[in-house]
Amino acid sequence: MAHALLARAEAAAFHGLMALPRPVMRLVAGRPVVLDGQTLDVETQWLLRIRSLVREPSVERLPFPEARTLLDRQARLAGGRQPVGEVRDLDVPGGDGPIGARLYVPRGAATGTPLLVFLHGGGFMYGGLDSHDATCRLMAERAGVRVLAVDYRLAPEHPYPAAVDDAWAAYQWTVEHADRLGADPERIGVGGDSAGGCLSAIVARRAAEAGVPCALQLLVYPVADMVRQSESRRLFGDGFYLTSEFIDLADRTYVRDADRRDPEVSIAFTEKIPDGLASAIVVTAGFDPLRDEGEAWARTLADAGVDVTLRRYAGFVHGFFNVVGVGRTQRAAVAEIAALAKQRLAG
């Protein structure tokens, strides 16, 4: 009881702080941050300021069980309570046995609607069904599509290629069992953020090569290149939520001794874009270390003739996709991304 009361009080305080008028936010957040020709969104700056004031430890410096618990708690605070028509937990095949999944059905959805297989971010080490629950709910409602979130295996317990194997197995099962999920098998797409964006790009490529239907790949600030150090990694690797230390930990923990130029580790090294590859929505954040590699991948796809929509949210940091329950600007961006997905999957 005491724990629940404390959690509610923490949520109320956080929501109150993030609901301050923008002039007040600007006053308490500090002077505008301008870097690489971009101005940090004031709500984002205030959110980063709150994190520094409460002095929570960096997840990359905690043991994995503690870090995962902390990230889930932070996600609940940022995500809030998002209404959705129906939520159902189920098991789906993974690469080495059953794994968990969660189906979100928007209110008023008819049978035969589009479906998005969702692969969460977290550096291949963190995250799960709970960390992205709020975002999946909002995406389902705003896009008007079913969303199937997949709880793929995580490193260090399960390093590469476990996540890839699980993502692909779950996607194939989804297409094969579309009727059971109430979905149209010709309007199934795949999407995810960060590590999940990387996995989504791999699944979309495999689907094209295997002749498996895939109508969309939604890549939100995807991990694309584990080899080269981009300018955005240099500029934003410290102080803007996602750190170089976190990225290095993911490299050591997930990739380990695998070939970093393997296109299923670094999608940037894909030698041939297959015919029939799904259209792509690529989303980046201006103050994100992964910005440049995500945008480079979007250009690679476009140069190969893939239908690509690239959207940069210049004032945001990595992780904004989860901030749908507080503030205004980041939630509005996620709603806009959902609208883009709806447009692509509607056909």
Side-chain angles (χ1 to χ4, degrees):
M1 176 64 75
H3 179 75
L5 288 173
L6 182 62
R8 284 198 291 271
E10 181 184 41
F14 182 57
H15 283 233
L17 289 171
M18 290 300 297
L20 292 173
R22 289 180 72 85
V24 178
M25 266 190 201
R26 168 52 62 208
L27 183 66
V28 294
R31 297 179 62 181
V33 176
V34 180
L35 189 57
D36 199 29
Q38 306 168 132
T39 302
L40 188 63
D41 170 64
V42 65
E43 286 187 10
T44 302
Q45 188 176 345
W46 177 222
L47 180 58
L48 293 174
R49 177 70 174 151
I50 293 171
R51 292 186 74 247
S52 68
L53 290 172
V54 299
R55 297 183 180 277
E56 282 190 326
S58 300
V59 293
E60 57 265 33
R61 299 181 182 180
L62 291 173
F64 281 100
E66 293 177 34
R68 288 167 179 165
T69 299
L70 175 60
L71 274 178
D72 283 352
R73 183 175 67 80
Q74 291 174 342
R76 285 193 297 272
L77 284 172
R81 294 179 176 272
Q82 305 302 322
V84 71
E86 178 189 349
V87 179
R88 178 167 23 119
D89 288 343
L90 62 155
D91 290 331
V92 301
D96 188 29
I99 56 176
R102 184 172 292 166
L103 179 66
Y104 301 85
V105 182
R107 288 170 289 191
T111 301
T113 57
L115 183 146
L116 182 74
V117 175
F118 185 80
L119 304 168
H120 66 81
F124 307 98
M125 307 171 290
Y126 309 108
L129 300 181
D130 292 336
S131 66
H132 287 65
D133 181 73
T135 296
C136 287
R137 287 167 175 262
L138 185 65
M139 286 291 295
E141 285 292 327
R142 290 302 184 95
V145 304
R146 284 167 163 80
V147 174
L148 182 69
V150 175
D151 200 14
Y152 60 85
R153 290 171 292 165
L154 301 175
E157 298 90 341
H158 304 284
Y160 172 82
V164 173
D165 293 342
D166 285 352
W168 176 233
Y171 185 83
Q172 289 179 287
W173 179 89
T174 301
V175 173
E176 292 166 2
H177 295 82
D179 288 347
R180 172 178 166 182
L181 299 171
D184 179 351
E186 297 301 320
R187 293 190 292 165
I188 293 178
V190 62
D193 62 315
S194 195
C198 174
L199 295 173
S200 297
I202 294 167
V203 166
R205 177 185 56 76
R206 284 193 178 191
E209 292 172 344
V212 175
C214 183
L216 171 69
Q217 48 180 322
L218 171 62
L219 315 180
V220 179
Y221 37 74
V223 177
D225 192 339
M226 299 295 285
V227 178
R228 296 166 292 203
Q229 295 297 309
S230 67
E231 180 67 3
S232 63
R233 285 207 185 188
R234 185 187 68 81
L235 288 172
F236 309 116
D238 183 43
F240 297 101
Y241 185 64
L242 178 63
T243 65
S244 297
E245 186 177 358
F246 185 102
I247 296 170
D248 291 343
L249 178 63
D251 180 87
R252 296 193 308 271
T253 304
Y254 172 69
V255 183
R256 292 192 182 179
D257 58 355
D259 181 2
R260 281 150 184 79
R261 293 175 181 266
D262 183 331
E264 298 205 336
V265 172
S266 298
I267 56 176
F269 289 89
T270 302
E271 293 184 0
K272 183 181 184 301
I273 303 299
D275 294 337
L277 186 65
S279 65
I281 299 170
V282 181
V283 176
T284 63
F287 286 76
D288 183 359
L290 304 186
R291 182 195 70 190
D292 290 354
E293 62 197 75
E295 294 180 1
W297 180 242
R299 290 192 294 271
T300 296
L301 294 177
D303 289 346
V306 178
D307 183 8
V308 178
T309 297
L310 173 61
R311 187 67 52 88
R312 179 197 289 188
Y313 291 93
F316 292 168
V317 299
H318 194 92
F320 81 82
F321 199 55
N322 289 81
V323 186
V324 297
V326 295
R328 294 166 287 274
T329 55
Q330 293 165 103
R331 178 184 173 89
V334 178
E336 185 176 65
I337 294 165
L340 288 172
K342 179 178 184 177
Q343 183 181 26
R344 290 296 184 89
L345 287 171

